[in-house]
Every structure is written in C-alpha cells, then in structure tokens.
Amino acid sequence: DFLRCVSASIIFFVISFISVFKYTDGASKAAGVFGFIATIVFAFDFYIIFNDLADFLKHGGQPSGQPSEETTRRPDTRDDSSEYDSD
C-alpha cells in the first residue's frame, strides 16, 4: 500500500505536469488540474500510511491500539482440579 501511494503520486504528478504545460486545449488543462488533485490525495494517503508505519515500528511491531502480550498476560491462579469437582 505504501509503494502504491508513492508510485501513484509520482506518476499522477508527472502526467499532470505534462498535460498542463505541453497541451493548450481546455480538456488537457482540466485533466491536469484533476491530476494535481489526485496527486494531493495520494500524497495525503502516503502521509497517513507513513505515520502508521512509523508508529508500528516504534512500538516494536505491535499495533499502537493494542497492548503488548506482556502487559495483558495474567498469572493463572485458578485450581485446575476444582474445574472437574462434582461435589
């Protein structure tokens, strides 16, 4: 997803730049403007994905919304024999 955003942003920017400055008709100008808007959207998506990836790597591979296994593990204090007691 990260590479898709980067490559799409670059491709849309280059094609939009060529469309706006090389051709003089109105349709090419409109296509260039929409291409620049798409570039901004892909760049924003890249920014969001990059921040999520940086947080993920900062927390040692654990998602930031979930606590690590060490903090959620509780000692097992129940007696296994009481589970099957019929009295």
Side-chain angles (χ1 to χ4, degrees), residues 7-28:
S7 63
S9 183
I10 292 169
I11 290 169
F12 270 103
F13 181 76
V14 169
I15 292 173
S16 298
F17 189 80
I18 291 170
S19 175
V20 167
F21 292 109
K22 186 176 181 181
Y23 301 105
T24 59
D25 60 330
S28 295

Side-chain angles (χ1 to χ4, degrees), residues 15-73:
I15 292 173
S16 298
F17 189 80
I18 291 170
S19 175
V20 167
F21 292 109
K22 186 176 181 181
Y23 301 105
T24 59
D25 60 330
S28 295
K29 301 285 185 188
V33 169
F34 283 116
F36 285 129
I37 292 171
T39 300
I40 292 169
V41 170
F42 276 114
F44 182 69
D45 193 25
F46 161 74
Y47 174 75
I48 291 172
I49 291 172
F50 182 77
N51 282 339
D52 289 344
L53 180 63
D55 287 341
F56 178 76
L57 294 175
K58 191 185 302 181
H59 295 323
Q62 293 289 333
S64 61
Q66 298 176 352
S68 66
E69 184 179 326
E70 295 171 354
T71 59
T72 59
R73 187 181 300 167

